[in-house]
Amino acid sequence: MIVYFTGTGNSKYIAAKIAKITEDEIIDSTKYIKNNENPTLNSEKPFVFVCPTYGWRIPRVFDEFIRKSNFEGNKSAYFIMNCGSDIGNAEETISILCKEKGFEFMGIKEIIMPENYIAMFPVPNEEESKAIIQKADSVIEKAADEIKECKKFEERKLRAFDKVKSGFVNNIFYKKFVKADKFYAKDNCIGCGKCEELCMLNNIKLVDNKPVWGSDCTHCMACICNCPVEAIEYGKKSVGKRRYLCK
């Protein structure tokens, strides 16, 4: 069973590509998160968790989803994380999570995908994005073959600063940057409500036919990147930047 978490489609793309090879069922965790549900999931084959990298770790909301949900059947767990550059020392907290859930940790795979965090970083253009995804395809396929054969992923070599990034820097990142207060809708907003519908934390409400953001945000970028008229901005950071969706 493949359980994925996504805001702009990178993880969904990876999950779907793996599922074609392993013939696994795919579960979208964001639907459960949005409905505040903690399901019991049963799989005879290993569980595969696919997600983006937030501050060199798995998203905290996805971590919480895994902790609160029940997983029955197979007790092996693979983790696949996509990122714009690297995942730091993400495996340290994931291995702790696996121990708490009774999983045998089968390793973690780092996959470079197009950057989507437009609240902070530039986004590659369409041609660059296609090239990045094309390069990632072989890594995804190799990971799928290893999962199908129940082989552990090769252990990653950590660099000196990785532990700091996934520890201290991650804490600063969430405390200082993961907020919704800079999101706003421009005058060209059509009031379609797509941002409200897609917000997995139910943090967006339409008021006078325009979105208003609350205080509960995970910076998944689903609202800003899925807006059909590009009416949403994140302060000055997103102005002029290409919106990214992996379809």
Side-chain angles (χ1 to χ4, degrees), residues 71-176:
F71 300 92
E72 299 179 348
N74 197 296
K75 289 301 180 182
S76 297
Y78 293 89
F79 281 77
I80 297 177
M81 295 178 66
N82 64 83
C83 57
S85 58
D86 69 273
I87 65 173
N89 186 30
E91 48 261 76
E92 182 174 0
T93 52
I94 289 175
S95 62
I96 294 172
L97 172 62
C98 285
K99 287 181 181 178
E100 292 180 2
K101 297 298 295 182
F103 282 129
E104 179 187 2
F105 181 38
M106 300 294 284
I108 187 169
K109 186 74 70 174
E110 174 187 275
I111 298 179
I112 305 297
M113 290 288 282
E115 181 64 64
N116 70 343
Y117 191 30
I118 63 176
M120 187 173 291
F121 302 116
V123 177
N125 62 39
E126 188 172 354
E127 287 188 6
E128 291 171 333
S129 295
K130 287 181 179 179
I132 293 170
I133 294 172
Q134 186 175 19
K135 188 175 181 180
D137 281 343
S138 60
V139 183
I140 298 169
E141 290 166 3
K142 181 180 178 182
D145 288 337
E146 291 170 340
I147 293 168
K148 191 173 184 179
E149 296 174 12
C150 293
K151 291 183 178 179
K152 284 192 173 184
F153 289 152
E154 183 179 354
E155 189 172 344
R156 296 176 59 247
K157 293 181 180 179
L158 298 179
R159 294 167 295 185
F161 197 54
D162 284 343
K163 288 189 176 183
V164 177
K165 290 190 294 188
S166 298
F168 176 77
V169 177
N170 178 273
N171 291 329
I172 295 297
F173 167 70
Y174 270 89
K175 184 176 181 180
K176 297 291 185 181

